Amino acid sequence: MRSRSRPTARIEIDGAGFPRSSLPLPVWRPLALALALIAPAAWAQVPEAARAPAAEDAELQLETVTVNARRRAEPAQAVPVSLSTLDGAELERQGVYQVQNLPLLLPSLNASYANGRQLSLAVRGIGNNPANEGLEGSVGIYLDNVYLGRPGMAVLDLVDLERVELLRGPQGTLFGKNTTAGVLNLSTRAPDFSPDNSVELSAGERGYYQGKAVISGPLSDTVAARIAVVGTHDDGWLKNDNDNRRLNSVTREGVRGQLLIRPDSDFSLRLIADYQHESGSQGTTMLYGVGPSPAGFRYLVDAAQLAGATGIRIDPDRYHVNIDGPQKMKVEQGGLSAEANWELGGGYRLTSITAWRSWEFGSHNDIDGTNADIFSDSEFRVKDSQVSQEIRLASPTGGAMDYVLGAYYFHQDISSSNWLTYGSGADVLALPVTAPLGANVLNGITSATHGKMSTDSFALFGQADWHLTERLDLTTGVRATYERKVARSRRDAPLNAAPLFVPLLQAGRDSQVGAWRSDDITVQDVSPSGLLGLSYELAPDVLAFANLSYGEKSGGVNINGVGAAPTLGEDSLKVDPERARSLEVGFKSLLWDKRLRLNASLFYARVQDYQATGMRAAPGSFVVYQVLTNVGEVESKGVEWEIEARPTRRLTLSFNGMYNDASYRSFDNAPCPAERNPGAPSSCDLGGKQVQGAPLWTANVGGSYRWPWAEHVEQYVSANYAWRSEAPGSLDNSRYNRLPAYGVLNLATGWQYSRGSDVWELSLWARNALDKRYYYTGSNTVSAYTVSAAAPRTVGVTLRYNFM
């Protein structure tokens, strides 16, 4: 196996409070950080006459970005919190239309992704956990102000987007659902009373194609409509050597319709309905690393070969697998929402958001990762339905204080079922020291596990901005949430089980697949959230801020499998609430006559009882279960920066990044990595180790340039390079599952022909132009580790037509 060792990072803090690193990084990076932190204060002291002359043309200035982070439309630079935004048009130019690819443009965001069910997001290293229906995400995802109860609901084609906002740190004093790591807020373009129509076709390698169409305009003087349809296909980028199939394929079709009803200037109603269908073989994983097993085997090498596996090769960069089982998945989801806004007397605004969403997932997977008949099939089905109601009252602005008050209700019903069919060689998994092969302990049986959970959440929240002076503001926020979850879990008696006449073998089977049923498991929490912040305008367009925030996420119940519950009891299925404290100090500035945007912040967060998912083995067996656990304490600290400049009218440059030291301060009940076997204890202490999926350094560099090419024709070129340092791929922090550092380069060039209201655009693009093989996430069984591979280089062409 190829060595995956990397230089060890050592971070110290110098006397000035800045990070000093022994990483093999260019010297200019720490210098850039220091300059970023001191520039606004220095700039504020420079006399106006000594600064750069005013721009002769407003086109030289950077565009003003308007956000609703504080539930009011206001410039992003005026919001005293750590906030990143992406314009929908920029996403279209970059070809980023999936939530798992947003980290290529948002350095503070990480995504763990395998398929529509296995998605989780992390902000500043907090929240990157594999899927479990019993856990909520630490990062809340909102689509048009509607909280998505499952992160997988965001695995859709993000077309017709107006804006993406990423808020970092605990949220809840302004948003419907409380979260501990941050919020990803997705806003689609609303209907308008001016026509806005477009048709777009794209084609590329691996049979890739995407078609999009948008029709928008008035139906009457008081009603406008917008409808967007999309279809996407990719043949897949993994080759199955067993049957020459292409895997990780995907086909998606979706439609989104909206109505905007505005009878007068005091009332508006926005109605949204959407539906999406997805199918393919997403979720295929590759063998990545193998360590010694507790019984001395090298699982999926020696053990799998005993079951007849051939052609086992651990070389994930080849993007090849060798499996004999099914690999397919299907997702159907849809929703309805109604957002009503009333402009009340005196400048008050009342908002009501009512929503319903449904999400269904189904998959069949070859989970042994070989062409041996160990597992014939693993079928997963998840059904989720949610309703929510949010009411907010916003005060008028311009006085000594303005505020937002709100109430929120959320109800969710979710069920999860897994049918695991063992193959003719499954006995290599059953008590390998004492069970002879062919004893039919597990061979040919099917074990079914079912779980369901109902959630009710009620909250009151509010936030006030106190304008103490013309330059100094004090922000206070509070939230109280009551949440109740009721869950059940069971495992049915195995089907097609051959009779066993040896008590030891029968006991071994019962411990791994025997019938078990829980009673109702109830989790109730009263969760407070709070915010205290100060902001001060150092100079025009230079804002300094400091925020102290606290947030909680309620406890959860493992409904994906009973695991060790028959032995340890149903309390072993529970996890405690997650509690986060966060401090950030930063600034936002517009310099050089608004041609340079320079933002930076220092942050420190401590999370107690951090909720995580891992894999543990059944005693004396290779059979593993997904378990929920609480990490004693996690710490995240570092610095992040955003720089955007427009040196000329046609050139825009950006440089964003983050240094983040995310580690486990206390984790003495962690699963043991493979290198601790054989003879490892049932749990290990990972205190001081790096958090799963949290790179130490991230950086994105980009730029675009436009120039006249012919009459009515303009050409542009754009490039974006996103780099991530290495990170642990699994919760046990094994050296066999270190995800290496990688950099992804996206390139595009295009020609835009404008004549009147008609605009034609032809673009050529290359995503992952350097064909870097990298991985969204890792996972583990016992002594074997797998990864989910991101797409290789894709070159294609897009034709777009906008018309009135």
Side-chain angles (χ1 to χ4, degrees):
M1 187 180 75
R2 184 172 61 254
S3 172
R4 301 185 182 279
S5 62
R6 295 290 184 273
T8 301
R10 185 182 75 251
I11 303 300
E12 302 172 351
I13 303 297
D14 64 20
F18 297 108
R20 181 172 61 239
S21 172
S22 63
L23 286 167
L25 295 173
V27 176
W28 57 265
R29 285 184 178 167
L31 290 177
L33 294 179
L35 288 173
L37 290 171
I38 66 175
W43 185 266
Q45 306 303 318
V46 177
E48 185 70 28
R51 302 184 186 185
E56 297 178 359
D57 194 330
E59 292 182 14
L60 282 169
Q61 298 181 352
L62 294 169
E63 296 179 3
T64 299
V65 179
T66 301
V67 298
N68 287 287
R70 294 195 291 185
R71 297 319 197 187
R72 306 176 187 274
E74 56 186 336
Q77 290 295 108
V79 181
V81 298
S82 294
L83 168 69
S84 296
T85 65
L86 293 173
D87 179 71
E90 177 63 19
L91 293 174
E92 292 170 354
R93 286 191 294 270
Q94 295 285 348
V96 175
Y97 60 92
Q98 289 283 280
V99 68
Q100 63 267 24
N101 291 325
L102 288 176
L104 297 178
L105 300 173
L106 294 170
S108 298
L109 181 70
N110 293 319
S112 172
Y113 172 77
N115 58 28
R117 173 177 168 264
Q118 294 173 293
L119 169 74
S120 64
L121 301 179
V123 173
R124 294 172 174 168
I126 305 299
N128 227 339
N129 294 310
N132 189 295
E133 277 67 48
L135 285 185
E136 302 166 355
S138 298
V139 179
I141 306 176
Y142 288 79
L143 178 61
D144 288 327
N145 295 321
V146 176
Y147 173 75
L148 304 183
R150 296 305 306 154
M153 291 178 174
V155 180
L156 41 76
D157 286 336
L158 301 176
V159 299
D160 205 29
L161 276 183
E162 177 72 27
R163 184 180 59 256
V164 173
E165 300 171 11
L166 178 66
L167 288 86
R168 300 183 277 274
Q171 306 294 325
T173 60
L174 281 175
F175 281 83
K177 198 75 168 65
N178 49 326
T179 57
T180 52
V183 160
L184 182 68
N185 195 24
L186 310 172
S187 301
T188 65
R189 297 184 178 104
D192 193 58
F193 289 90
S194 298
D196 179 18
N197 310 307
S198 66
V199 177
E200 181 179 309
L201 296 173
S202 299
E205 297 178 273
R206 302 186 310 274
Y208 169 82
Y209 66 79
Q210 185 178 72
K212 298 186 289 186
V214 176
I215 299 177
S216 181
L219 300 181
S220 69
D221 291 341
T222 58
V223 179
R226 190 178 190 94
I227 184 168
V229 295
V230 61
T232 304
H233 174 81
D234 193 313
D235 289 342
W237 48 87
L238 296 184
K239 177 71 176 300
N240 187 12
D241 294 335
N242 190 62
D243 57 12
N244 290 320
R245 285 184 296 164
R246 280 193 174 275
L247 298 176
N248 264 4
S249 63
V250 64
T251 300
R252 278 187 297 267
E253 303 93 15
V255 59
R256 185 176 189 84
Q258 303 184 59
L259 284 178
L260 177 63
I261 303 171
R262 189 180 293 160
D264 53 50
S265 59
D266 294 331
F267 175 76
S268 68
L269 175 64
R270 185 182 180 187
L271 303 173
I272 305 174
D274 68 272
Y275 170 81
Q276 178 172 288
H277 176 273
E278 179 180 0
S279 61
S281 55
Q282 293 273 300
T284 307
T285 59
M286 302 180 299
L287 278 175
Y288 186 74
V290 175
S293 76
F297 290 109
R298 290 170 62 81
Y299 178 50
L300 291 180
V301 177
D302 295 342
Q305 287 174 349
L306 286 174
T310 61
I312 297 177
R313 183 175 179 180
I314 301 175
D315 188 5
D317 289 350
R318 292 180 64 240
Y319 276 26
H320 279 234
V321 296
N322 189 8
I323 60 176
D324 63 337
Q327 194 69 36
K328 57 183 178 180
M329 66 92 192
K330 182 174 73 173
V331 178
E332 290 196 48
Q333 68 167 312
L336 301 169
S337 69
E339 178 176 336
N341 286 281
W342 291 268
E343 301 295 338
L344 307 177
Y348 290 90
R349 167 179 275 207
L350 180 66
T351 300
S352 170
I353 304 170
T354 308
W356 165 85
R357 292 203 67 83
S358 174
W359 183 78
E360 296 187 14
F361 173 90
S363 67
H364 293 266
N365 300 102
D366 184 337
I367 62 172
D368 61 57
T370 72
N371 61 358
D373 190 21
I374 298 176
F375 293 106
S376 297
D377 186 19
S378 176
E379 180 183 2
F380 232 108
R381 295 181 191 171
V382 180
K383 291 185 177 181
D384 179 33
S385 179
Q386 67 173 62
V387 294
S388 60
Q389 175 63 55
E390 182 174 356
I391 296 176
R392 294 195 309 265
L393 176 67
S395 73
T397 59
M401 180 193 72
D402 49 70
Y403 59 85
V404 174
L405 302 175
Y408 183 74
Y409 171 70
F410 175 80
H411 175 81
Q412 181 185 51
D413 289 308
I414 189 166
S415 63
S416 174
S417 296
N418 178 222
W419 291 267
L420 186 58
T421 301
Y422 294 79
S424 59
D427 275 359
V428 297
L429 307 176
L431 296 172
V433 176
T434 58
L437 295 179
N440 291 322
V441 178
L442 295 176
N443 288 349
I445 69 171
T446 297
S447 177
T449 302
H450 309 277
K452 62 179 181 179
M453 185 169 67
S454 177
T455 300
D456 286 286
S457 180
F458 307 84
L460 297 173
F461 58 90
Q463 183 168 307
D465 295 302
W466 309 78
H467 308 297
L468 305 180
T469 71
E470 290 186 358
R471 293 188 173 188
L472 179 64
D473 286 354
L474 170 68
T475 300
T476 57
V478 67
R479 176 193 183 91
T481 302
Y482 169 75
E483 198 151 284
R484 184 173 188 268
K485 298 177 180 178
V486 180
R488 275 182 175 269
S489 185
R490 80 174 195 269
R491 185 170 62 200
D492 298 338
L495 300 176
N496 305 319
L500 296 174
F501 304 102
V502 179
L504 179 61
L505 298 183
Q506 184 64 53
R509 175 194 283 172
D510 291 343
S511 69
Q512 297 174 45
V513 295
W516 184 84
R517 179 186 298 267
S518 76
D519 294 324
D520 282 349
I521 304 172
T522 302
V523 174
Q524 298 184 82
D525 296 301
V526 176
S527 304
S529 299
L531 171 69
L532 179 64
L534 280 173
S535 62
Y536 185 75
E537 188 178 10
L538 297 173
D541 296 320
V542 180
L543 179 70
F545 62 89
N547 293 308
L548 180 64
S549 56
Y550 175 83
E552 289 192 11
K553 187 176 68 165
S554 64
V557 180
N558 186 1
I559 65 171
N560 283 2
V562 301
T567 303
L568 302 180
E570 52 188 44
D571 280 349
S572 65
L573 299 176
K574 297 181 181 179
V575 289
D576 294 330
E578 180 177 292
R579 301 175 175 88
R581 296 171 175 84
S582 176
L583 172 66
E584 61 180 16
V585 179
F587 67 84
K588 296 183 173 185
S589 61
L590 280 174
L591 310 173
W592 195 17
D593 196 38
K594 300 186 178 181
R595 295 164 61 181
L596 173 64
R597 181 180 294 117
L598 182 60
N599 301 339
S601 61
L602 295 167
F603 60 88
Y604 177 84
R606 185 174 289 186
V607 184
Q608 291 181 313
D609 292 322
Y610 179 61
Q611 296 172 355
T613 59
M615 306 298 292
R616 292 188 185 273
S621 169
F622 286 136
V623 177
V624 296
Y625 302 102
Q626 188 182 73
V627 297
L628 301 185
T629 188
N630 286 108
V631 176
E633 197 168 58
V634 170
E635 185 179 70
S636 171
K637 58 182 181 292
V639 59
E640 55 199 359
W641 67 93
E642 297 181 347
I643 304 172
E644 186 178 9
R646 183 166 291 173
T648 72
R649 183 177 296 110
R650 307 188 184 282
L651 177 64
T652 302
L653 301 172
S654 64
F655 175 40
N656 309 324
M658 178 179 68
Y659 160 76
N660 178 31
D661 182 9
S663 60
Y664 303 116
R665 284 182 58 92
S666 172
F667 194 10
D668 56 10
N669 63 331
C672 292
E675 53 265 34
R676 292 291 299 273
N677 291 315
S682 59
S683 62
C684 291
D685 188 351
L686 294 182
K689 300 294 185 180
Q690 190 176 359
V691 170
Q692 176 187 2
L696 192 65
W697 291 91
T698 59
N700 296 349
V701 180
S704 64
Y705 186 75
R706 289 177 170 269
W707 70 96
W709 191 72
E711 187 178 6
H712 303 295
V713 178
E714 187 177 58
Q715 186 177 358
Y716 66 86
V717 293
S718 66
N720 184 81
Y721 183 75
W723 183 82
R724 302 287 186 274
S725 62
E726 68 170 2
S730 52
L731 187 66
D732 60 10
N733 217 287
S734 172
R735 62 184 174 90
Y736 293 104
N737 201 19
R738 297 289 296 182
L739 302 182
Y742 67 88
V744 176
L745 176 65
N746 290 339
L747 301 172
T749 186
W751 296 264
Q752 193 174 77
Y753 172 81
S754 303
R755 194 70 179 261
S757 60
D758 292 348
V759 179
W760 289 87
E761 184 175 333
L762 175 67
S763 63
L764 306 176
W765 44 263
R767 299 168 190 161
N768 192 3
L770 301 179
D771 200 23
K772 181 64 178 179
R773 305 302 168 95
Y774 68 104
Y775 317 105
Y776 286 123
T777 187
S779 60
N780 65 300
T781 54
V782 173
S783 78
Y785 297 91
T786 60
V787 289
S788 176
R793 177 171 52 219
T794 309
V795 178
V797 60
T798 296
L799 178 64
R800 180 183 178 92
Y801 175 47
N802 290 75
F803 58 98
M804 300 293 286

